[in-house]
Amino acid sequence: MGHRKKSAPRRGSLAFLPKGRASRHIARIRYWPSVEYGPVPLGFAGYKAGMTHVFYINKDEGSPDYGREVFKAATVLETPPMKVCAVRVYEKTYDGLKSLTEVWSKDLPRDLERVFTLPKKPREEGLEKLESYIDRISEVRILAATQPRLTSVPKKKPDLMEIKIGGGTVEEQLKYVEGIFGKDLSVSDVFKEGSLVDVISITKGKGFQGPVKRFGVKILPHKSRKTKRGVAAIGPWHPARVLYTVPRPGQMGYFHRVEYNKLILKIGSDGSEITPKGGFVNYGLVRGDYVLIEGSVPGPVKRLVRLRYPARPPKAGVVQLPEVTYISLESKQG
C-alpha cells in the first residue's frame, strides 16, 4: 500500500461563527411566512416544562415504521393564554418596512408595569384610527404579552413580543384584530394538532469553555508542552494570523437557534393529563394549556420558547398526525 495522506478534519461547525451570547432571553423572529388562509396570528409562545416519552402509531407512508407503534421523545410546553395588548401596523417604504402607527388597549395587564411604565391616561382613539391609514398599511401585527403567573415559572414579569397577522386582506386582518383586541389569545386559536411549527429559542448557556468541550478537539498526549486541552499549532507562519477556522475557547451555549418543522402531537387544556408524578424536574406542575411537541426543543427548563408557522414546510404537503397510544406519566425524579 502506498502512503495515505493523514486526514484531520476540523472539529465543530463553522455555520454559526462567530459564536456569541444572545442579547436577550426572548428569541427574535426575523421572518414571518405567508399563509393562504386566515387571518390568523403566525406565532405563539410558551414555557418549556420538560420532556417525556410517548408511543404512537406511525402514519407516515414513506417511513420504514409505517403502521407500527414507535417510541419517541417529546417536549411539553406550557402555553397559557397571551394577552393582546396592542396593534401595530407597518407600511412598505423604499428601504423596508417602517412602523406607521399603533393602538394600545385601555385595560392592560397590571404586570405589564414591570416591563415599562403604563400610561396614566390612555389615549381615546381606538382601532378606528387604523382605518384612516388603510391605503398605506402593508402588514398588521399584534403586541402580545405572556402570563407567567398562570404557569409554574417563578416570575411575574410578562414577556412582550410582536406577532404578525397572516392571511387574508389588510381589511380582513384589521377586522380580525378588532375581535381579539385586549382579550386573551389561546394556543388552540393559532395552531392545531398535527401541524408543523418552527421552534425558536435560546439554547442552554454553558459559559466560557475550552476548545475540547466547545468543538470536540482531540486531547493531546500527556507529555505535550504548554497545553493538553487545546490546539497545538494554531496556524502557519503565513498568513501570519490566527484564522477563524481554528477552534478557540469562548462562549458556549446561550445561542439563538431555530429548529424547523417540529410536529405538534397534542394540544390540551388540562395540565394534569400530561404532568408526570411529582411534577417535571426543576419546573413543577403544568397547570393549564400545553403543547406536546415531538423531539427536543432548544433551551433549558423554564425557557421562553416561541412557535411560528413553518418557514420551510415540506414539499410533500400535509403531515399525517400519528395516533398517540401512550404518554408516560412516570416520575422523572430518578
Side-chain angles (χ1 to χ4, degrees):
M1 285 182 66
H3 176 70
R4 204 161 107 188
K5 188 175 179 182
K6 181 188 174 187
S7 173
R10 185 194 183 282
R11 266 69 164 198
S13 169
L14 283 173
F16 295 105
L17 255 62
K19 296 191 177 202
R21 295 180 81 249
S23 58
R24 302 174 68 204
H25 73 280
I26 304 178
R28 180 181 171 192
I29 296 180
R30 296 178 174 87
Y31 171 76
W32 296 100
S34 57
V35 293
E36 297 177 356
Y37 51 89
V40 63
L42 296 180
F44 206 78
Y47 297 96
K48 182 174 176 179
M51 293 189 71
T52 183
H53 67 269
V54 300
F55 285 91
Y56 64 68
I57 307 295
N58 192 348
K59 294 188 177 180
D60 181 8
E61 295 184 4
S63 169
D65 293 322
Y66 174 64
R68 296 180 181 176
E69 189 176 50
V70 295
F71 165 97
K72 288 284 183 178
T75 303
V76 178
L77 302 180
E78 189 165 11
T79 53
M82 298 183 73
K83 182 72 75 173
V84 180
C85 301
V87 182
R88 182 179 289 165
V89 293
Y90 287 82
E91 69 173 331
K92 195 170 285 185
T93 67
Y94 67 92
D95 57 349
L97 288 175
K98 297 291 181 183
S99 177
L100 192 58
T101 186
E102 59 189 46
V103 177
W104 284 81
S105 171
K106 293 181 181 178
D107 50 343
L108 294 173
R110 197 172 162 195
D111 281 333
L112 210 59
E113 184 77 46
R114 299 172 184 271
V115 181
F116 59 88
T117 303
L118 299 181
K120 293 182 179 177
K121 289 185 179 180
R123 295 178 179 177
E124 291 301 320
E125 68 264 17
L127 295 175
E128 303 81 26
K129 172 186 176 184
L130 303 179
E131 295 175 3
S132 59
Y133 295 100
I134 196 77
D135 297 329
R136 298 170 60 187
I137 294 174
S138 174
E139 281 191 12
V140 179
R141 304 186 183 185
I142 58 173
L143 289 170
T146 60
Q147 302 185 70
R149 283 183 187 267
L150 303 178
T151 71
S152 292
V153 178
K155 73 172 191 174
K156 304 167 187 173
K157 183 178 178 180
D159 295 300
L160 189 68
M161 64 199 69
E162 200 176 76
I163 300 172
K164 181 183 174 182
I165 305 296
T169 63
V170 172
E171 290 87 350
E172 291 172 338
Q173 291 175 3
L174 288 176
K175 190 173 182 181
Y176 171 79
V177 164
E178 192 176 336
I180 63 172
F181 188 61
K183 299 178 182 176
D184 282 349
L185 182 69
S186 174
V187 66
S188 57
D189 299 331
V190 181
F191 298 112
K192 299 290 181 279
E193 291 180 354
S195 57
L196 296 175
V197 292
D198 293 341
V199 174
I200 305 161
S201 182
I202 310 299
T203 62
K204 186 183 290 187
K206 298 180 184 299
F208 192 99
Q209 299 296 335
V212 171
K213 180 168 181 175
R214 196 171 183 227
F215 293 105
V217 304
K218 190 174 180 181
I219 297 177
L220 297 172
H222 75 280
K223 281 192 166 184
S224 299
R225 182 171 165 268
K226 284 193 174 180
T227 185
K228 279 77 178 169
R229 296 180 61 88
V231 178
I234 59 173
W237 273 2
H238 296 289
R241 57 186 176 274
V242 179
L243 301 178
Y244 80 99
T245 55
V246 178
R248 306 296 284 153
Q251 173 67 29
M252 183 177 179
Y254 208 74
F255 300 141
H256 186 286
R257 293 292 179 262
V258 180
E259 292 194 6
Y260 296 95
N261 297 331
K262 295 285 192 177
L263 179 63
I264 294 181
L265 294 174
K266 187 175 173 61
I267 295 177
S269 57
D270 182 9
S272 62
E273 62 191 23
I274 201 77
T275 304
K277 295 173 185 174
F280 284 101
V281 179
N282 294 332
Y283 186 83
L285 307 176
V286 176
R287 299 181 183 177
D289 295 356
Y290 67 88
V291 174
L292 183 67
I293 295 180
E294 182 185 21
S296 61
V297 162
V301 166
K302 305 189 188 100
R303 176 79 82 225
L304 180 83
V305 177
R306 297 188 70 177
L307 306 176
R308 178 189 66 185
Y309 271 70
R312 306 174 185 174
K315 294 180 181 178
V318 181
V319 177
Q320 289 291 331
L321 174 64
E323 179 188 339
V324 178
T325 56
Y326 171 80
I327 300 173
S328 172
L329 299 181
E330 294 304 312
S331 172
K332 311 296 180 190
Q333 307 288 341

